[in-house]
Amino acid sequence: MGVIELCNSSSLCIGRAKPSCLIEKSRTRRIACMASSVPVREESQQKQCVTGDAFIRPHLRKLSPYQPILPFEVLSTRLGRKPEDIVKLDANENPYGPPPEVFDALGTMKFPYIYPDPESRTLRATLAEDSGLESEHILAGCGADELIDLIMRCVLDPGDKIVDCPPTFTMYEFDAAVNGAHVIKVPRNPDFSLDVERIAEVVEHEKPKCIFLTSPNNPDGSIIDDDTLLKILHLPILVILDEAYVEFSGMESKMKWVKKHENLIVLRTFSKRAGLAGLRVGYGAFPKSIIEFLWRAKQPYNVSVAAEAAACAALKNPAYLENVKVALVQERDRLFNLLKEVPFLDPYPSYSNFILCKVTSGMDAKKLKEDLATMGVMIRHYNNKELKGYVRVSVGKPEHTEALMKCLKHFY
Ligand SMILES: Cc1ncc(COP(=O)(O)O)c(C=O)c1O
């Protein structure tokens, strides 16, 4: 092997060739060069061309990037509208935001220059009171998203299998790919209920390590009843129950179940219930036999001082959280009835803060989303295998519903 010489910011030259000869223009050619390890030029047999991506783990080179929604400011520039003039119903955010205590707590933070508590003790104690589950079972994270990834990092070896039940939250599939796991898909039934028989077959034959269940499910808003959950919990598989939207469902959280089911993890978040999506705070309930390994593997300072202060302050005002939840649930039911009147939409009943609609009558779902965006109303559209021609509308304030309905009227 020759010396490694830095050619430019993105490519490395190994050998004694002139750096300029190794800067490849075409990505296809770069990859071919890496894969075969054959020198690029005949006259420099001992030279090797390597670009930075050669250092990336092979399974990640094939990874498609996660497609997040556009940041508010970028969206505002693209649409030529002020952020406050955009009706944002595309990401299931809570338009009421957090209670006033949160702004006070953020404005009076005393030690933002000191690293946060790696164990988020104050937050976990507050969550223990809120949930009725001892803090030894609770771990907080930078959003439920971080915990999904952390669980996978602790549970999965590359090549292990997980069960995913689409249509559902796409982060499970994405994180599985990042962690080098195989995803076995057990699609939901046409009414979006789980295909429990098929799940049991897959568990028996494929021996997957874990299954991700979402209740209420994103994007359709259906819930998993206790019988179904128990059936799956009796299978030899780790069940991760994602309750990001449980507050809107009228169902009690299953957090306390982790004390009697060694194979259950329950995830929750402040993003929806407390309007703190931007501050990134999620939490999970774990059996003690599992949580100790997550403590070992997590980043020490994963919940920032600001995030912990905000989450604790939000829980200080349960009346506010309850009122916001009631307002959103009432608005969901009103929105559902209004969407039913739209001739090209077929809405599904939802237990969450969003409503999935099938776009019918020859109307194109993507075009509908794009046209609404030009009018300043953002909704989410789907075009994947399980949900071709569907849109999802988050529940907003009454004025957001009015704006949406006014825009939809342009189409009929
Ligand atoms: C089902 C589900 N789980 C988890 C999350 C992510 O939650 P967080 O904002 O706490 O990362 C979302 C976000 O939309 C979600 O829909």
Side-chain angles (χ1 to χ4, degrees), residues 123-305:
L123 174 58
R124 286 171 47 241
T126 317
L127 280 169
E129 261 177 56
D130 176 67
S131 65
L133 176 69
E134 295 82 357
S135 61
E136 292 78 24
H137 289 274
I138 300 173
L139 189 144
C142 177
D145 278 350
E146 188 207 5
L147 298 178
I148 296 168
D149 181 54
L150 179 60
I151 292 164
M152 290 203 198
R153 285 199 285 124
C154 289
V155 168
L156 300 172
D157 282 318
D160 276 348
K161 296 168 185 168
I162 75 153
V163 180
D164 191 35
C165 302
T168 191
F169 188 42
T170 48
M171 281 304 282
Y172 315 134
E173 193 180 347
F174 174 78
D175 282 326
V178 172
N179 285 286
H182 295 300
V183 178
I184 308 173
K185 295 192 183 186
V186 179
R188 287 168 173 260
N189 296 315
D191 65 353
F192 298 110
S193 60
L194 292 170
D195 186 345
V196 182
E197 261 176 47
R198 183 75 195 122
I199 290 172
E201 275 168 28
V202 160
V203 171
E204 190 185 335
H205 296 116
E206 305 276 351
K207 310 267 183 282
K209 277 250 179 102
C210 57
I211 179 167
F212 282 80
L213 303 177
T214 322
S215 182
N217 188 41
N218 176 6
D220 61 281
S222 64
I223 46 174
I224 301 171
D225 62 59
D226 288 4
D227 278 355
T228 305
L229 182 58
L230 282 168
K231 272 187 203 150
I232 299 174
L233 278 170
H234 286 136
L235 301 172
I237 190 166
L238 175 64
V239 176
I240 297 108
L241 178 67
D242 186 339
E243 290 189 332
Y245 302 96
V246 71
E247 294 80 13
F248 307 108
S249 71
M251 289 180 80
E252 214 187 310
S253 166
K254 300 288 183 291
M255 280 178 73
K256 287 190 219 152
W257 284 31
V258 301
K259 287 173 87 169
K260 47 183 182 192
H261 296 280
E262 282 285 308
N263 62 334
L264 175 65
I265 293 173
V266 179
L267 297 181
R268 293 183 64 185
T269 179
F270 281 81
S271 297
K272 321 295 173 179
R273 71 182 293 207
L276 284 179
L279 279 164
R280 314 302 299 124
V281 203
Y283 53 107
F286 302 83
K288 283 191 186 158
S289 55
I290 293 180
I291 200 167
E292 72 168 282
F293 297 99
L294 279 96
W295 280 119
R296 294 185 203 183
K298 85 168 185 72
Q299 293 289 328
Y301 306 120
N302 60 333
V303 180
S304 74
V305 170

Side-chain angles (χ1 to χ4, degrees), residues 342-345 361 363-375 377 379 403-412:
V342 178
F344 52 84
L345 292 180
S361 317
M363 178 78 99
D364 183 78
K366 184 162 184 268
K367 173 111 181 32
L368 176 64
K369 176 226 147 86
E370 286 167 355
D371 288 348
L372 285 173
T374 61
M375 299 179 211
V377 177
I379 63 167
L404 169 71
M405 298 317 295
K406 198 167 154 205
C407 292
L408 285 171
K409 275 261 187 271
H410 283 91
F411 302 96
Y412 65 99

Side-chain angles (χ1 to χ4, degrees), residues 89 92 192 217-222 245 328-340 345-358 379-382 390-396 401 404-405:
L89 305 177
N92 304 337
F192 298 110
N217 188 41
N218 176 6
D220 61 281
S222 64
Y245 302 96
L328 287 169
V329 167
Q330 277 173 3
E331 193 58 18
R332 172 186 76 203
D333 298 343
R334 189 172 86 91
L335 177 64
F336 178 78
N337 289 326
L338 290 169
L339 291 171
K340 266 203 308 202
L345 292 180
D346 198 355
Y348 287 79
S350 166
Y351 288 86
S352 197
N353 67 338
F354 48 80
I355 296 177
L356 183 74
C357 301
K358 192 171 171 54
I379 63 167
R380 172 93 193 251
H381 111 278
Y382 294 91
Y390 282 75
V391 291
R392 189 196 66 197
V393 184
S394 306
V395 178
T401 304
L404 169 71
M405 298 317 295

Side-chain angles (χ1 to χ4, degrees), residues 8 20-30 49 51:
N8 64 10
S20 60
C21 75
L22 296 171
I23 299 170
E24 295 287 327
K25 294 261 178 330
S26 131
R27 179 168 158 71
T28 325
R29 180 148 163 102
R30 276 209 317 261
C49 163
T51 51

